[in-house]
Amino acid sequence: MGDQFGLDDINKYQKFKKVDGATYHKVNQFLRKHTYITAREWALARLCTDFRTSSGVEMTFIGQHLPELVPFMEDTYSPQAVNQARNSFKKKVKKAGSTFFYGAMCGFFTTEELDDMLFEASEIARFLLEIEGTALDVDDEIDIEDKITEVMQRVGMAAKTLLKAREEAIEAQAELDYARTAPSEK
């Protein structure tokens, strides 16, 4: 895949300007405190999204121009390192989602606690988007939040249904066990 991007693209790229002057360590420390991802994974996942082409992602271009594109990144990366960071980002997002949904579905959290978690998560996500300079249309943001709310309501309802069915099955099994072991009245 040839370079479809050039110096003009580097000069026009306006992401991460709000952290210009910040060190990789500082950005990484913030992300580790509030998310499951590293600064490396965040930056490269964003670049892979922004430099996607019809035939894939320009991993070579991203890796070669990383310090010019992201102020807190100091070194260039091989295409393999770019791909590895992107895949690590995907895996961590999936794992975090699985953990969250498990907690929601097993009834560990109340509906109010889930709402609080989702609110905090959306605030952090908005902050990260703001830091990286990604503008999200208000209507799109509301649409995304509405879809997430709808999914979470369904998860909550499904969790309640599953928990109730599980409790009823346990009670029914206990009654059967009791009936088998109880002395019969004759």
Side-chain angles (χ1 to χ4, degrees):
M1 179 182 335
D3 248 11
Q4 296 183 13
F5 299 101
L7 290 178
D8 286 343
D9 296 299
I10 293 170
N11 294 332
K12 288 189 290 186
Y13 195 71
Q14 295 299 309
K15 303 283 171 88
F16 301 103
K17 299 300 180 193
K18 290 189 178 194
V19 287
D20 200 3
T23 64
Y24 175 87
H25 176 73
K26 277 282 197 203
V27 174
N28 202 48
Q29 208 172 23
F30 173 82
L31 287 169
R32 287 293 199 171
K33 182 178 178 182
H34 297 285
T35 72
Y36 193 45
I37 58 173
T38 65
R40 172 180 178 263
E41 293 159 343
W42 178 41
L44 290 169
R46 175 83 262 161
L47 291 169
C48 287
T49 298
D50 292 344
F51 289 94
R52 187 178 295 143
T53 68
S54 59
S55 57
V57 175
E58 285 289 349
M59 307 250 179
T60 302
F61 175 84
I62 291 169
Q64 288 174 347
H65 299 285
L66 189 55
E68 300 159 270
L69 294 166
V70 181
F72 58 83
M73 297 299 287
E74 299 170 355
D75 296 322
T76 60
Y77 278 56
S78 69
Q80 294 82 4
V82 172
N83 189 46
Q84 187 276 331
R86 180 181 69 159
N87 287 335
S88 180
F89 177 87
K90 284 181 181 179
K91 285 179 185 176
K92 286 182 178 181
V93 169
K94 287 178 182 178
K95 190 182 283 187
S98 297
T99 304
F100 175 79
F101 275 94
Y102 170 74
M105 292 176 80
C106 74
F108 187 77
F109 299 103
T110 66
T111 304
E112 294 78 27
E113 288 172 320
L114 288 172
D115 283 344
D116 290 345
M117 279 192 277
L118 284 173
F119 177 77
E120 184 178 334
S122 69
E123 288 296 308
I124 292 168
R126 275 191 214 88
F127 184 68
L128 293 177
L129 289 169
E130 182 181 320
I131 289 173
E132 71 185 29
T134 300
L136 189 60
D137 185 57
V138 174
D139 290 340
D140 290 338
E141 186 177 322
I142 291 169
D143 187 44
I144 290 167
E145 287 180 355
D146 287 347
K147 287 178 182 174
I148 291 170
T149 299
E150 182 182 316
V151 167
M152 290 312 302
Q153 287 171 344
R154 288 196 315 243
V155 167
M157 301 263 293
K160 284 180 184 175
T161 302
L162 285 172
L163 291 172
K164 185 176 180 181
R166 193 176 301 146
E167 288 172 9
E168 289 172 355
I170 290 170
E171 288 173 10
Q173 185 62 48
E175 288 176 15
L176 282 174
D177 291 344
Y178 178 76
R180 281 190 215 135
T181 59
S184 61
E185 294 179 24
K186 291 188 180 181

